Amino acid sequence: MVKKAEVINLNFSYTDKKVLNSVSLPIYENRITALIGPSGCGKTTLLRCFNRMHDLYGSVKYDGQINLFPDQLNILSKEIDPIEVRMKIGMVFQKPNPFPKSIYENIAYGLRVRGVKKKSFIDEKIEDSLKKAGLWKEVEDRLHTSATALSGGQQQRLCIARALATEPDILLLDEPTSALDPISTAHIEELVTELKNAVTIVMVTHNLHQAARTADFTSFMYLGKMIEFGESSQIFTNPKEQKTENYITGRFG
Amino acid sequence: MSTEPIRHRNFKAQAERLKRQDAFFWFIGLLTLGFALITLLSLIVDMAMTGWPRITQTFFLSFPSRLPERAGIFSAWVGSLCVVLVTSLVAIPLGIASGIYLEEYAKKNIWTKVIELNILNLAGIPSITYGLMALGFFVYKMHLGQSILTAGMTLGLLVLPIIIVTTREAIRTIPSHIREASYSLGATKWQTIRNHILPYSSGGIMTGVVIALSRAIGETAPLITVGALTFIAFLPSSVMDPYTVLPIQMFNWVSRPQEEFHVNAAAAGLVLLTMTLFLNGTAIYIRYLFRKKYKW
Amino acid sequence: MAIQSEFSTPQSMKRRWRNFKESFIHLLLLVCAGSSVLVTFGVIYTLVSEAMPFFLEVPIKNFLFDTEWTPLFENPQYGIMNLISGTLLTTVIALIIAIPLGTVAAVFLSEYCSNQVREFFKPLLELLAAVPTVVYGYFALLFVTPILQKIIPSLESFNALSAGIVMGIMIIPYVSSLSEDSMRAVPLYLREGSLAMGASKLQTSFKVIVPAAFSGIASAYVLGISRALGETMVVAIAAGLQARLSLNPLQSTQTLTAYIVQVSMGDLPQGSIGYRTIYVSGLVLLLFTLSFNLIGQSIRARMEKKYK
């Protein structure tokens, strides 16, 4: 197993509220890592550190490292441009958020901001990423119709395709199924498990079963601290920490 | 004294009374709106009935004259067009840029507060004070004279708050997750604004621009102070030329004692009213179109 | 063709260029937004600096207590109260029309009618505010006054009454639209709470919704007031040019704004006392409207804090 990234002693606070307290964990290449924990434990905040989303808003402070392998470069460093970080690390959000443009333009956008102009290349990428996202069959004959006309599940797969088109090193999923119905959820879960051959995935989820079913590794967070990290099989069957056990057995959260 | 439990009372009469009150207010409300609309209607009808006979091709292609039946609005509508063109060049870029800044860039600090409060106040300043400012500053300090340029800039500043406010409102309807989607794909702030924020808010912005221009076309008071003339028997050849505009021409005619000129005033008013109502209708239509296009 | 680029250093040309472009745009937009502050300063500065020499020549006592306003006469008098009384008179008449009608219209649109009815009436009502004021002036002088003269024979052909009434109709949408917005912003549970107790719509509207939306309604009124104070063309056309210290609505009167129009129509040399007087009138008008705006904003700010 090869490390793709490593979080080391990450602290994070909004104006006066500490949200992450010295969090560390490894992210393995071509594996799915799930972040679980009760609401407000900081898992989404942690996820959004990976692509420096927090830099968009004022009044946050963070220190620590997220090193990206193989170069072991700290992507939280001020030396590194957050825009370049986002070019390497894709993200899919809780609520499907396609642009109100055509399906084609949605996926092409990531390539366009990277300066890709060649149409044949873009066409190829669009087909490729839609296929990876399992959406190609459904939309191949209506690529130029509006993306907002798709169903919720289709929209979310489009958002995954949009992120994949730019060939990210890591794909961040922020509760990607929380706004979807059970059938679309099953679809996305299946898709995510297939995708790990192509990309490293970090996923925040509220749904413990989802984490158990899809993730290779799971880390349990509580009140801004990393309580336990391990293979999912171990976390869900034989947790080392009492808090983890309480959480996964439904005693709180 | 024993009080009877309230639930034993019969509320039927009270309920009937409340119902009657509601029906009465419904009637009052309709009456109020009806009154407002009948006023608007009688204004239009009265003006149309008086002015319609004067609406001929010659009226549009004649210069003002001492003889009411030979006087026309040629220099006035050309002047209005030129002035509004200058107004657009000033107010549209400045207004949209300010709106974008306040919604997308401004941090929550004292300076932003100052700018916001200032725009609120600007919107509340009487239009004639803009005219006084323009007379003192544009005409006498900057020596721009009583020209189309001065008039256009004056109206530009006057309608600026309208464009700023509608731009901000339009941008504010775009949910933040659309911005985040763009950023997460590696777009810069300006790319996000140019490729997403502006296109998705363009309906609202256009609505505001059209309303602002309609306001500028009908505005009279500030142009009186910066010396719009009423007797212009030639077409302007540059922005530094003297000018007249439709509302000023109408004001001139309505202020004369002879009734024949009132007919001209009504005809000019009809043209003016048609233009502003057309622009406002356009604004409503644009808003409708875009509301259908983007549902968040 | 690879899409990914390696990370660049802060010194790289590409990144410098991108940062430069982004901050340049940021600065440009900031300058545009800041320019509106300059406009305010421009207005205040011009009015104050052009009006100041007036007060060097005319004692404040005369300015406040002269019984007439005749700055362009042989023996000039400078009693500003003559213009202020005309302004207040037309404003009050306008408000007597606009506030009740605007409020009723707002309650009706927000609480009583269906969505379709509202979608129909609201744009029509807003057209009232879109009609050019010079057209309203024509309407007041040549339509409303003759009608009113049939009812009140002693009405002069230029009078404060019809100018005020027409102004009032004109500002109905200013009052109603802001009021309605704030009433509709009142949370549904308040409305339902009242209706669930058996209250009628009327009781709910005036005892629950209107108090809860008070800040918005009050600022709508204030907006209406400052509109009426600053309205120019209707009064210049229909109310006459006679500055007098009287509150008789049947006579002609002159407002601060109409005076500015009257003087501007003539040819006044820059720097003459007549030229100064239009700035003095403008300054007085600005003080009135600015203070009303500030009152409105502070009401809203206080209420927003309370209801958050």
Side-chain angles (χ1 to χ4, degrees), chain A residues 71 73 78-81 84-85 87-88 111 114 121 125 165-167, chain C residues 1-12 14-15 18-19 22:
Chain A
D71 310 331
L73 217 56
K78 296 279 172 265
E79 296 276 292
I80 294 209
D81 191 339
E84 290 174 20
V85 173
M87 287 191 174
K88 280 182 166 291
L111 300 169
R114 285 160 178 75
F121 181 79
K125 272 280 152 210
T166 59
E167 294 172 9
Chain C
M1 191 164 165
I3 306 169
Q4 301 300 337
S5 53
E6 285 312 305
F7 290 115
S8 61
T9 59
Q11 290 77 31
S12 83
K14 197 179 120 204
R15 196 162 143 194
R18 182 164 67 210
N19 287 343
E22 289 288 318

mmCIF file of all heavy atoms in Angstrom, chain A residues 71 73 78-81 84-85 87-88 111 114 121 125 165-167, chain C residues 1-12 14-15 18-19 22:
data_model
loop_
_atom_site.group_PDB
_atom_site.id
_atom_site.type_symbol
_atom_site.label_atom_id
_atom_site.label_comp_id
_atom_site.label_asym_id
_atom_site.label_seq_id
_atom_site.Cartn_x
_atom_site.Cartn_y
_atom_site.Cartn_z
ATOM 1 N N ASP A 71 5.925 13.616 -3.893
ATOM 2 C CA ASP A 71 6.898 14.684 -3.615
ATOM 3 C C ASP A 71 6.928 15.075 -2.149
ATOM 4 O O ASP A 71 7.788 15.810 -1.712
ATOM 5 C CB ASP A 71 6.543 15.938 -4.432
ATOM 6 C CG ASP A 71 6.331 15.611 -5.892
ATOM 7 O OD1 ASP A 71 6.956 14.643 -6.347
ATOM 8 O OD2 ASP A 71 5.525 16.296 -6.544
ATOM 9 N N LEU A 73 4.960 17.106 -0.646
ATOM 10 C CA LEU A 73 4.822 18.552 -0.616
ATOM 11 C C LEU A 73 3.649 18.932 0.279
ATOM 12 O O LEU A 73 2.574 18.347 0.167
ATOM 13 C CB LEU A 73 4.527 19.023 -2.054
ATOM 14 C CG LEU A 73 5.130 20.327 -2.498
ATOM 15 C CD1 LEU A 73 6.636 20.285 -2.326
ATOM 16 C CD2 LEU A 73 4.774 20.566 -3.971
ATOM 17 N N LYS A 78 1.791 28.184 2.583
ATOM 18 C CA LYS A 78 1.446 29.452 1.927
ATOM 19 C C LYS A 78 2.152 29.575 0.578
ATOM 20 O O LYS A 78 1.736 30.350 -0.285
ATOM 21 C CB LYS A 78 1.852 30.628 2.825
ATOM 22 C CG LYS A 78 1.099 30.675 4.140
ATOM 23 C CD LYS A 78 -0.283 31.301 3.984
ATOM 24 C CE LYS A 78 -1.104 31.174 5.253
ATOM 25 N NZ LYS A 78 -2.011 30.016 5.284
ATOM 26 N N GLU A 79 3.237 28.831 0.442
ATOM 27 C CA GLU A 79 3.990 28.870 -0.805
ATOM 28 C C GLU A 79 3.189 28.300 -1.966
ATOM 29 O O GLU A 79 3.479 28.562 -3.122
ATOM 30 C CB GLU A 79 5.267 28.029 -0.663
ATOM 31 C CG GLU A 79 6.237 28.554 0.358
ATOM 32 C CD GLU A 79 7.121 29.628 -0.231
ATOM 33 O OE1 GLU A 79 7.938 29.291 -1.100
ATOM 34 O OE2 GLU A 79 6.970 30.806 0.161
ATOM 35 N N ILE A 80 2.210 27.485 -1.630
ATOM 36 C CA ILE A 80 1.484 26.788 -2.690
ATOM 37 C C ILE A 80 0.164 27.466 -2.971
ATOM 38 O O ILE A 80 -0.571 27.845 -2.057
ATOM 39 C CB ILE A 80 1.299 25.305 -2.299
ATOM 40 C CG1 ILE A 80 2.688 24.673 -2.276
ATOM 41 C CG2 ILE A 80 0.343 24.599 -3.243
ATOM 42 C CD1 ILE A 80 2.771 23.254 -2.585
ATOM 43 N N ASP A 81 -0.093 27.635 -4.231
ATOM 44 C CA ASP A 81 -1.296 28.338 -4.660
ATOM 45 C C ASP A 81 -2.520 27.434 -4.485
ATOM 46 O O ASP A 81 -2.553 26.338 -5.033
ATOM 47 C CB ASP A 81 -1.122 28.714 -6.137
ATOM 48 C CG ASP A 81 -2.198 29.675 -6.604
ATOM 49 O OD1 ASP A 81 -3.251 29.738 -5.952
ATOM 50 O OD2 ASP A 81 -1.978 30.348 -7.618
ATOM 51 N N GLU A 84 -3.915 25.844 -7.579
ATOM 52 C CA GLU A 84 -3.217 24.664 -8.108
ATOM 53 C C GLU A 84 -3.558 23.424 -7.295
ATOM 54 O O GLU A 84 -3.611 22.313 -7.824
ATOM 55 C CB GLU A 84 -1.712 24.920 -8.141
ATOM 56 C CG GLU A 84 -1.370 25.956 -9.201
ATOM 57 C CD GLU A 84 0.091 26.370 -9.177
ATOM 58 O OE1 GLU A 84 0.921 25.615 -8.632
ATOM 59 O OE2 GLU A 84 0.387 27.456 -9.682
ATOM 60 N N VAL A 85 -3.769 23.620 -5.981
ATOM 61 C CA VAL A 85 -4.183 22.487 -5.150
ATOM 62 C C VAL A 85 -5.516 21.946 -5.649
ATOM 63 O O VAL A 85 -5.702 20.747 -5.828
ATOM 64 C CB VAL A 85 -4.313 22.907 -3.673
ATOM 65 C CG1 VAL A 85 -4.898 21.775 -2.840
ATOM 66 C CG2 VAL A 85 -2.972 23.340 -3.124
ATOM 67 N N MET A 87 -6.670 22.170 -8.538
ATOM 68 C CA MET A 87 -6.529 21.538 -9.847
ATOM 69 C C MET A 87 -6.095 20.086 -9.701
ATOM 70 O O MET A 87 -6.271 19.283 -10.601
ATOM 71 C CB MET A 87 -5.531 22.314 -10.699
ATOM 72 C CG MET A 87 -6.111 23.632 -11.179
ATOM 73 S SD MET A 87 -5.096 24.389 -12.426
ATOM 74 C CE MET A 87 -6.124 25.772 -12.897
ATOM 75 N N LYS A 88 -5.483 19.755 -8.572
ATOM 76 C CA LYS A 88 -5.032 18.370 -8.380
ATOM 77 C C LYS A 88 -6.017 17.555 -7.554
ATOM 78 O O LYS A 88 -5.943 16.329 -7.542
ATOM 79 C CB LYS A 88 -3.674 18.369 -7.669
ATOM 80 C CG LYS A 88 -2.513 18.648 -8.598
ATOM 81 C CD LYS A 88 -1.229 18.582 -7.795
ATOM 82 C CE LYS A 88 -0.005 18.519 -8.703
ATOM 83 N NZ LYS A 88 0.102 17.276 -9.433
ATOM 84 N N LEU A 111 -11.742 21.479 -17.588
ATOM 85 C CA LEU A 111 -10.677 21.458 -18.594
ATOM 86 C C LEU A 111 -10.420 22.868 -19.116
ATOM 87 O O LEU A 111 -9.279 23.262 -19.321
ATOM 88 C CB LEU A 111 -11.074 20.538 -19.746
ATOM 89 C CG LEU A 111 -11.325 19.085 -19.342
ATOM 90 C CD1 LEU A 111 -11.968 18.314 -20.481
ATOM 91 C CD2 LEU A 111 -10.017 18.428 -18.928
ATOM 92 N N ARG A 114 -8.276 24.944 -17.046
ATOM 93 C CA ARG A 114 -6.879 24.526 -17.120
ATOM 94 C C ARG A 114 -6.267 24.893 -18.464
ATOM 95 O O ARG A 114 -5.165 24.461 -18.788
ATOM 96 C CB ARG A 114 -6.777 23.020 -16.890
ATOM 97 C CG ARG A 114 -6.957 22.647 -15.416
ATOM 98 C CD ARG A 114 -7.336 21.192 -15.258
ATOM 99 N NE ARG A 114 -7.468 20.826 -13.855
ATOM 100 C CZ ARG A 114 -8.500 21.161 -13.091
ATOM 101 N NH1 ARG A 114 -9.475 21.893 -13.579
ATOM 102 N NH2 ARG A 114 -8.548 20.777 -11.828
ATOM 103 N N PHE A 121 -10.027 16.683 -27.852
ATOM 104 C CA PHE A 121 -9.558 16.224 -26.547
ATOM 105 C C PHE A 121 -10.665 16.349 -25.495
ATOM 106 O O PHE A 121 -10.906 15.446 -24.703
ATOM 107 C CB PHE A 121 -8.340 17.062 -26.141
ATOM 108 C CG PHE A 121 -7.755 16.658 -24.812
ATOM 109 C CD1 PHE A 121 -6.940 15.534 -24.712
ATOM 110 C CD2 PHE A 121 -8.020 17.394 -23.662
ATOM 111 C CE1 PHE A 121 -6.406 15.158 -23.492
ATOM 112 C CE2 PHE A 121 -7.495 17.014 -22.444
ATOM 113 C CZ PHE A 121 -6.681 15.894 -22.367
ATOM 114 N N LYS A 125 -12.515 13.402 -23.385
ATOM 115 C CA LYS A 125 -12.519 13.416 -21.921
ATOM 116 C C LYS A 125 -13.949 13.328 -21.375
ATOM 117 O O LYS A 125 -14.204 12.678 -20.357
ATOM 118 C CB LYS A 125 -11.890 14.731 -21.424
ATOM 119 C CG LYS A 125 -10.417 14.655 -21.277
ATOM 120 C CD LYS A 125 -10.069 13.974 -19.975
ATOM 121 C CE LYS A 125 -8.737 13.293 -20.107
ATOM 122 N NZ LYS A 125 -8.635 12.112 -19.250
ATOM 123 N N ALA A 165 -13.098 14.352 -14.825
ATOM 124 C CA ALA A 165 -12.597 14.791 -16.127
ATOM 125 C C ALA A 165 -11.253 15.474 -16.020
ATOM 126 O O ALA A 165 -10.467 15.484 -16.957
ATOM 127 C CB ALA A 165 -13.600 15.728 -16.780
ATOM 128 N N THR A 166 -10.968 16.057 -14.859
ATOM 129 C CA THR A 166 -9.714 16.777 -14.705
ATOM 130 C C THR A 166 -8.606 15.885 -14.151
ATOM 131 O O THR A 166 -7.545 16.370 -13.794
ATOM 132 C CB THR A 166 -9.901 17.976 -13.769
ATOM 133 O OG1 THR A 166 -10.347 17.476 -12.500
ATOM 134 C CG2 THR A 166 -10.945 18.942 -14.310
ATOM 135 N N GLU A 167 -8.869 14.580 -14.091
ATOM 136 C CA GLU A 167 -7.882 13.602 -13.602
ATOM 137 C C GLU A 167 -7.267 14.014 -12.274
ATOM 138 O O GLU A 167 -6.057 14.216 -12.182
ATOM 139 C CB GLU A 167 -6.767 13.413 -14.637
ATOM 140 C CG GLU A 167 -7.271 12.783 -15.906
ATOM 141 C CD GLU A 167 -6.194 12.788 -16.996
ATOM 142 O OE1 GLU A 167 -5.040 13.128 -16.681
ATOM 143 O OE2 GLU A 167 -6.540 12.452 -18.124
ATOM 144 N N MET C 1 -1.342 14.475 -23.997
ATOM 145 C CA MET C 1 -1.537 15.832 -23.450
ATOM 146 C C MET C 1 -1.928 15.733 -21.971
ATOM 147 O O MET C 1 -2.979 15.208 -21.624
ATOM 148 C CB MET C 1 -2.654 16.517 -24.237
ATOM 149 C CG MET C 1 -2.760 17.968 -23.948
ATOM 150 S SD MET C 1 -3.769 18.693 -25.267
ATOM 151 C CE MET C 1 -4.147 20.245 -24.537
ATOM 152 N N ALA C 2 -1.078 16.214 -21.144
ATOM 153 C CA ALA C 2 -1.347 16.099 -19.704
ATOM 154 C C ALA C 2 -2.147 17.299 -19.227
ATOM 155 O O ALA C 2 -1.944 18.411 -19.694
ATOM 156 C CB ALA C 2 -0.035 16.019 -18.934
ATOM 157 N N ILE C 3 -3.085 17.065 -18.337
ATOM 158 C CA ILE C 3 -3.882 18.163 -17.822
ATOM 159 C C ILE C 3 -3.206 18.750 -16.593
ATOM 160 O O ILE C 3 -3.196 19.938 -16.379
ATOM 161 C CB ILE C 3 -5.282 17.669 -17.437
ATOM 162 C CG1 ILE C 3 -5.911 16.957 -18.614
ATOM 163 C CG2 ILE C 3 -6.142 18.822 -17.016
ATOM 164 C CD1 ILE C 3 -7.162 16.231 -18.250
ATOM 165 N N GLN C 4 -2.643 17.854 -15.785
ATOM 166 C CA GLN C 4 -2.097 18.322 -14.512
ATOM 167 C C GLN C 4 -0.769 19.020 -14.710
ATOM 168 O O GLN C 4 0.056 18.615 -15.497
ATOM 169 C CB GLN C 4 -1.877 17.127 -13.569
ATOM 170 C CG GLN C 4 -3.128 16.347 -13.291
ATOM 171 C CD GLN C 4 -4.196 17.192 -12.630
ATOM 172 O OE1 GLN C 4 -3.888 18.187 -12.012
ATOM 173 N NE2 GLN C 4 -5.441 16.785 -12.774
ATOM 174 N N SER C 5 -0.618 20.089 -13.967
ATOM 175 C CA SER C 5 0.688 20.725 -13.962
ATOM 176 C C SER C 5 1.273 20.495 -12.578
ATOM 177 O O SER C 5 0.545 20.250 -11.625
ATOM 178 C CB SER C 5 0.527 22.219 -14.216
ATOM 179 O OG SER C 5 -0.392 22.743 -13.294
ATOM 180 N N GLU C 6 2.578 20.583 -12.481
ATOM 181 C CA GLU C 6 3.171 20.474 -11.149
ATOM 182 C C GLU C 6 2.944 21.782 -10.403
ATOM 183 O O GLU C 6 2.604 22.795 -11.001
ATOM 184 C CB GLU C 6 4.656 20.155 -11.278
ATOM 185 C CG GLU C 6 4.902 18.706 -11.682
ATOM 186 C CD GLU C 6 4.098 17.715 -10.843
ATOM 187 O OE1 GLU C 6 4.211 17.750 -9.603
ATOM 188 O OE2 GLU C 6 3.333 16.923 -11.427
ATOM 189 N N PHE C 7 3.127 21.746 -9.089
ATOM 190 C CA PHE C 7 2.943 22.976 -8.321
ATOM 191 C C PHE C 7 4.000 24.000 -8.691
ATOM 192 O O PHE C 7 5.158 23.654 -8.900
ATOM 193 C CB PHE C 7 3.038 22.672 -6.825
ATOM 194 C CG PHE C 7 1.859 21.887 -6.340
ATOM 195 C CD1 PHE C 7 2.023 20.603 -5.873
ATOM 196 C CD2 PHE C 7 0.599 22.442 -6.360
ATOM 197 C CE1 PHE C 7 0.935 19.873 -5.424
ATOM 198 C CE2 PHE C 7 -0.491 21.725 -5.915
ATOM 199 C CZ PHE C 7 -0.317 20.431 -5.441
ATOM 200 N N SER C 8 3.605 25.230 -8.766
ATOM 201 C CA SER C 8 4.571 26.269 -9.099
ATOM 202 C C SER C 8 5.023 26.962 -7.824
ATOM 203 O O SER C 8 4.355 26.901 -6.797
ATOM 204 C CB SER C 8 3.920 27.285 -10.034
ATOM 205 O OG SER C 8 2.830 27.879 -9.372
ATOM 206 N N THR C 9 6.151 27.618 -7.905
ATOM 207 C CA THR C 9 6.613 28.401 -6.764
ATOM 208 C C THR C 9 5.965 29.779 -6.851
ATOM 209 O O THR C 9 5.498 30.179 -7.911
ATOM 210 C CB THR C 9 8.146 28.566 -6.824
ATOM 211 O OG1 THR C 9 8.440 29.217 -8.057
ATOM 212 C CG2 THR C 9 8.837 27.225 -6.749
ATOM 213 N N PRO C 10 5.939 30.497 -5.721
ATOM 214 C CA PRO C 10 5.333 31.839 -5.763
ATOM 215 C C PRO C 10 6.048 32.741 -6.749
ATOM 216 O O PRO C 10 5.485 33.728 -7.205
ATOM 217 C CB PRO C 10 5.515 32.349 -4.333
ATOM 218 C CG PRO C 10 5.713 31.146 -3.500
ATOM 219 C CD PRO C 10 6.356 30.123 -4.373
ATOM 220 N N GLN C 11 7.305 32.396 -7.071
ATOM 221 C CA GLN C 11 8.049 33.285 -7.968
ATOM 222 C C GLN C 11 7.774 33.007 -9.443
ATOM 223 O O GLN C 11 8.199 33.767 -10.300
ATOM 224 C CB GLN C 11 9.570 33.155 -7.711
ATOM 225 C CG GLN C 11 10.036 33.737 -6.398
ATOM 226 C CD GLN C 11 9.703 32.817 -5.220
ATOM 227 O OE1 GLN C 11 9.663 31.591 -5.377
ATOM 228 N NE2 GLN C 11 9.441 33.398 -4.061
ATOM 229 N N SER C 12 7.071 31.926 -9.726
ATOM 230 C CA SER C 12 6.905 31.580 -11.134
ATOM 231 C C SER C 12 6.103 32.638 -11.867
ATOM 232 O O SER C 12 5.187 33.252 -11.319
ATOM 233 C CB SER C 12 6.227 30.220 -11.276
ATOM 234 O OG SER C 12 4.836 30.374 -11.173
ATOM 235 N N LYS C 14 3.975 32.435 -14.286
ATOM 236 C CA LYS C 14 2.588 32.110 -14.516
ATOM 237 C C LYS C 14 1.737 32.533 -13.308
ATOM 238 O O LYS C 14 0.687 33.144 -13.437
ATOM 239 C CB LYS C 14 2.483 30.599 -14.740
ATOM 240 C CG LYS C 14 1.183 30.149 -15.384
ATOM 241 C CD LYS C 14 1.202 28.636 -15.587
ATOM 242 C CE LYS C 14 0.063 28.004 -14.837
ATOM 243 N NZ LYS C 14 0.269 26.606 -14.487
ATOM 244 N N ARG C 15 2.274 32.168 -12.134
ATOM 245 C CA ARG C 15 1.508 32.443 -10.934
ATOM 246 C C ARG C 15 1.490 33.928 -10.617
ATOM 247 O O ARG C 15 0.479 34.485 -10.199
ATOM 248 C CB ARG C 15 2.128 31.669 -9.771
ATOM 249 C CG ARG C 15 1.196 31.592 -8.609
ATOM 250 C CD ARG C 15 1.635 30.487 -7.703
ATOM 251 N NE ARG C 15 1.433 30.862 -6.331
ATOM 252 C CZ ARG C 15 1.965 30.215 -5.319
ATOM 253 N NH1 ARG C 15 2.759 29.177 -5.533
ATOM 254 N NH2 ARG C 15 1.730 30.599 -4.085
ATOM 255 N N ARG C 18 -1.029 35.520 -12.856
ATOM 256 C CA ARG C 18 -2.400 35.233 -12.429
ATOM 257 C C ARG C 18 -2.767 36.075 -11.213
ATOM 258 O O ARG C 18 -3.835 36.680 -11.153
ATOM 259 C CB ARG C 18 -2.537 33.745 -12.109
ATOM 260 C CG ARG C 18 -3.950 33.366 -11.712
ATOM 261 C CD ARG C 18 -4.166 31.889 -11.784
ATOM 262 N NE ARG C 18 -3.393 31.177 -10.795
ATOM 263 C CZ ARG C 18 -2.937 29.930 -10.962
ATOM 264 N NH1 ARG C 18 -3.160 29.297 -12.087
ATOM 265 N NH2 ARG C 18 -2.247 29.354 -10.011
ATOM 266 N N ASN C 19 -1.862 36.131 -10.232
ATOM 267 C CA ASN C 19 -2.150 36.923 -9.036
ATOM 268 C C ASN C 19 -2.282 38.391 -9.366
ATOM 269 O O ASN C 19 -3.141 39.086 -8.835
ATOM 270 C CB ASN C 19 -1.040 36.741 -7.991
ATOM 271 C CG ASN C 19 -1.126 35.372 -7.358
ATOM 272 O OD1 ASN C 19 -2.152 34.708 -7.457
ATOM 273 N ND2 ASN C 19 -0.045 34.932 -6.743
ATOM 274 N N GLU C 22 -5.669 38.945 -10.998
ATOM 275 C CA GLU C 22 -6.755 38.865 -10.020
ATOM 276 C C GLU C 22 -6.779 40.108 -9.130
ATOM 277 O O GLU C 22 -7.839 40.668 -8.863
ATOM 278 C CB GLU C 22 -6.618 37.611 -9.153
ATOM 279 C CG GLU C 22 -6.919 36.313 -9.890
ATOM 280 C CD GLU C 22 -8.404 36.122 -10.210
ATOM 281 O OE1 GLU C 22 -9.241 36.422 -9.345
ATOM 282 O OE2 GLU C 22 -8.711 35.684 -11.335
#
